[in-house]
Amino acid sequence: MQQVVQEVRTGKTGVREIPAPVAAAGQVVVATAASLVSAGTERYVVELARKSLIGKARERPDHVRRVLQKLKSDGLVTTAQQVMAKLDEPMPLGYSSAGVILECGRGVQEYKPGDRVATAGPHAGVVSVGRNLVALIPDGVTFEQAAYTSVASIGLEGVRLARATLGERVLVIGLGLIGQICVALLKAQGCRVFGTDIDPAKLELAKTFGADAVGLGSPRQAVRDFAGAQGVDAVVITAATQSNEPIEFAAEVTRQKGRIVLVGVVGLNLPRAPFFLKELEFTVSSSLGPGRMDPSYEEKGVDYPFGHVRWTSQRNMGAILDLIAQGKLPVEKLTTHRFPIAQAAEAYDLITSDAPVLGAVLTYPDAPAAPSRRIELRSPRAVGSSELGVSLIGAGNYARLVMMPAFAKLGPVRWRGLSTARGLNAEHSGRKMDFDFATTEVDELFNDPGTRAVFVATRHDLHADLVIRALRAGKHVFVEKPLCITEEELARVKETVESLGRDCPMLMVGFNRRFAPALDRVRGFFSDVGARTVSFRFAPGAIPGNAWPQDEDIGGGRIVGEACHAIDACVALQGSGPVKVYAESVAMNPGLETTDDQVFITIRHANGGVSNVSYQAGGDRAGPVERIEVFGGGRTAVIDEWDDVSLWKGERRTDEKAHKDKGHAAGFKAFVEAVRQGGPWPISWEETYGTARATLMTVRSLREGLPVTLDGDGE
């Protein structure tokens, strides 16, 4: 299928052939019939991408600040790699489309294949959209009309925030695509509407949408004549300009205690005097309405209660479609241009020119009943006898910037299939990293005879299931930490490994720190010492409470998703599995979003040793992150930031450098050599299972407030 993308680094807008998406839980897959180019929002994105690097930086100073912060914490090389990787990612364009449902994901019961729907999906032949960003198209409404739904919902949310009621006088500043829609919506609820724009042609069009009066530019006197001495009740600003004039104009002509809503993008130097004297309300409207940009709403399909949030993004979409069906919102009059998707680049050249454009609609060929979820990226050939056939699931920064470059240095590797949830990512990363094929269907990898090993680098909630499927398909597996995020998942992985027995392919979790030169040096230093104590301070910095790693359903939380590194390092240093864990975290206070990322974990090992993990996200991001101290047998060792290693014995100190090597390359090498040559797993199953179980029991200890004792099969 085809998808419209914007290349951020080069500024090129084009159409790519990518594999079609699958219907994840809570999502529907839709064959697109028509989509609308937003001449305002998308023009801004395209023009920004076409600027030089300096121009991009000037336009987005917030991104520059983030880069500078990363420079301080991660250094120049790492920051430069990640910035260039981000610039190299193609950006999908579009967010307002309509089509026919092909498939419904698990849990979706309100829609069926064959339903005609409007979606907040991108410009692509087939899209996967969350159930809460889909609305049924009424009979009599065409796909082209329905393609306006998401864009029109933006205007509707602005009108709702203006709280304009029957008989009120409202000013609309900016009569582009959304401005015209706002005029029609305000008229539909009985308001008197005055519209302004700098284009005379748009003034005339606004009259056909019901505007009672119009004016060129900022006609202050004309608006006063229209509204009376008191001024307009509300203003909806849909203009796109860097000028502060729309705000100043609105403040001057609005009545006392009136409302001003910004839907567009304008200068925001609010003039204090009129806002103070009149006690004006000012609101910036957020896209389609409540739920937009909320991961729980968009991705998990968790709706807001009807009685508490009457008008969500989805319910706004439904209201727009009802108005179109009633003939009260004649969006068809806004269509000025039509392009087949293959010629989408011409549409973007048009909207970024001075040509008069309002509604540019993209049309699509009929989608096949079963769109292809695999595309070939290079001419097929058999995997050579000396090559290790490897497939990858997930293509985030870690996979692209750390994992793959390291593997490329480990002898002949043949990159077979790359699977990601989004076809665009699979196609772009697969082509860039020289894979044989790209797919959105993981079974393509498991069924591929040329794939000997599978690497899993997805979100954490998918790890256990993918590991089990890969092992049962006879593939060796390298899975990024964690192995799983629930006790039930761990039990299923354990059952799979044990049931396959001697025929079980190799399974390795990406616990790189146990392969770090510094840790290996300290482990050897204590090789003839029995019981010892280990203290691991891990202070990675805070992340927002709504970030996916904090979500226990997706990321497992930061203990399961990241503190597991420290727990495994302690297991490696002790050379003994955990038998008991106890954890305490800080108490909740108004300044915290979560408490699990500020915790002390005590671990008793089978050999009598004790470890303590101090996992702290409450410090400054620029502060020290990782420090390990080991004591026993009259010896002391310290690893500081994986760079400095200090060893004390017989009252003498030895200092060594480890060059910030966290063991990534050595861990990958151990896995590849074991796959090629056979022999024991680089991390035994017993230690892999023990670390996973101790990590999960740490969370249980926090919840129950008690120590948890472990044995091989449970508590």
Side-chain angles (χ1 to χ4, degrees), residues 460-643:
H460 303 162
D461 59 316
L462 304 177
H463 286 188
D465 182 61
L466 292 172
V467 164
I468 291 169
R469 292 168 67 182
L471 291 176
R472 293 199 178 280
K475 312 297 183 185
H476 300 292
V477 183
F478 183 104
V479 57
E480 241 314 284
K481 54 79 191 167
L483 173 61
C484 57
I485 65 172
T486 69
E487 296 178 60
E488 183 273 334
E489 289 177 348
L490 180 59
R492 288 197 293 119
V493 174
K494 181 173 183 286
E495 188 277 329
T496 298
V497 171
E498 292 178 350
S499 66
L500 291 173
R502 296 174 61 88
D503 295 327
C504 183
M506 186 185 311
L507 168 62
M508 178 172 164
V509 181
F511 290 132
N512 55 282
R513 284 160 176 79
R514 66 162 51 224
F515 296 97
L519 191 141
D520 192 55
R521 178 71 177 90
V522 171
R523 181 166 44 196
F525 186 62
F526 284 90
S527 61
D528 58 346
V529 175
R532 64 199 76 157
T533 57
V534 177
S535 174
F536 193 140
R537 187 208 63 215
F538 199 170
I543 60 175
N546 62 354
W548 73 264
Q550 300 272 31
D551 188 326
E552 292 192 27
D553 293 332
I554 298 175
R558 296 192 80 183
I559 291 174
V560 171
E562 189 170 40
C564 59
H565 264 313
I567 293 173
D568 181 75
C570 291
V571 170
L573 281 166
Q574 295 279 7
S576 178
V579 295
K580 185 178 181 180
V581 296
Y582 177 62
E584 283 274 12
S585 64
V586 298
M588 179 62 78
N589 65 58
L592 295 178
E593 294 181 289
T594 180
T595 60
D596 280 7
D597 57 6
Q598 296 183 49
V599 60
F600 283 97
I601 306 165
T602 301
I603 306 167
R604 168 74 67 184
H605 296 266
N607 66 353
V610 178
S611 298
N612 174 266
V613 173
S614 171
Y615 185 81
Q616 306 299 330
D620 188 274
R621 293 190 68 87
V625 179
E626 295 183 55
R627 178 183 174 91
I628 301 175
E629 298 176 337
V630 186
F631 306 90
R635 303 172 196 177
T636 300
V638 175
I639 301 172
D640 212 354
E641 301 289 25
W642 301 103
D643 191 21

Side-chain angles (χ1 to χ4, degrees), residues 128-424:
S128 181
V129 187
R131 67 202 296 177
N132 285 337
L133 295 177
V134 176
L136 290 170
I137 301 174
D139 293 341
V141 175
T142 68
F143 285 124
E144 185 172 305
Q145 289 174 308
Y148 280 83
T149 300
S150 292
V151 169
S153 295
I154 294 173
L156 176 56
E157 178 63 12
V159 168
R160 291 197 191 285
L161 291 174
R163 304 195 310 279
T165 58
L166 183 70
E168 286 195 318
R169 287 167 167 75
V170 183
L171 170 64
V172 178
I173 301 176
L175 296 173
L177 186 63
I178 293 179
Q180 301 286 348
I181 289 169
C182 286
V183 169
L185 295 174
L186 289 162
K187 288 303 296 181
Q189 61 188 62
C191 296
R192 301 285 306 283
V193 183
F194 192 110
T196 69
D197 200 277
I198 59 174
D199 183 354
K202 292 178 180 176
L203 301 182
E204 293 305 311
L205 181 60
K207 293 178 182 177
T208 70
F209 274 80
D212 298 284
V214 295
L216 197 63
S218 303
R220 288 163 170 77
Q221 188 56 51
V223 173
R224 292 188 182 99
D225 293 341
F226 168 79
Q230 299 297 331
V232 294
D233 298 286
V235 180
V236 179
I237 304 174
T238 60
T241 175
Q242 294 183 349
S243 169
N244 206 54
E245 170 61 17
I247 290 288
E248 295 173 1
F249 173 37
E252 286 185 40
V253 300
T254 303
R255 68 168 172 82
Q256 189 174 21
K257 297 186 181 295
R259 291 93 59 193
I260 300 172
V261 177
L262 177 61
V263 177
V265 180
V266 301
L268 276 179
N269 294 317
L270 298 183
R272 185 178 187 280
F275 276 85
F276 172 75
L277 293 172
K278 299 180 182 179
E279 291 188 331
L280 299 176
E281 293 183 26
F282 178 72
T283 305
V284 179
S285 181
S286 178
S287 194
L288 283 70
R292 192 59 164 156
M293 295 174 284
D294 176 355
S296 293
Y297 182 87
E298 292 193 358
E299 298 172 17
K300 291 186 176 182
V302 179
D303 198 3
Y304 299 156
F306 190 91
H308 293 272
V309 185
R310 176 61 181 90
W311 293 108
T312 59
S313 292
Q314 184 185 54
R315 294 193 268 271
N316 275 341
M317 293 171 69
I320 288 294
L321 288 164
D322 284 343
L323 287 170
I324 294 173
Q326 296 172 40
K328 295 180 179 180
L329 184 57
V331 291
E332 64 278 359
K333 297 195 311 189
L334 296 171
T335 301
T336 55
H337 298 79
R338 294 178 180 83
F339 298 88
I341 186 175
Q343 299 173 20
E346 297 178 23
Y348 287 92
D349 288 339
L350 190 68
I351 68 170
T352 54
S353 70
D354 294 328
V357 182
L358 276 178
V361 174
L362 301 182
T363 59
Y364 297 75
D366 293 338
S372 175
R373 288 173 174 155
R374 169 174 169 158
I375 61 170
E376 303 300 324
L377 300 177
R378 58 182 178 179
S379 300
R381 68 171 175 83
V383 178
S385 58
S386 64
E387 293 178 309
L388 175 62
V390 177
S391 288
L392 174 63
I393 307 174
N397 280 346
Y398 179 80
R400 290 183 288 112
L401 301 181
V402 178
M403 182 182 289
M404 295 198 62
F407 268 99
K409 300 175 183 177
L410 300 177
V413 171
R414 178 65 178 275
W415 300 114
R416 286 293 293 154
L418 174 58
S419 176
T420 67
R422 299 188 181 278
L424 178 58

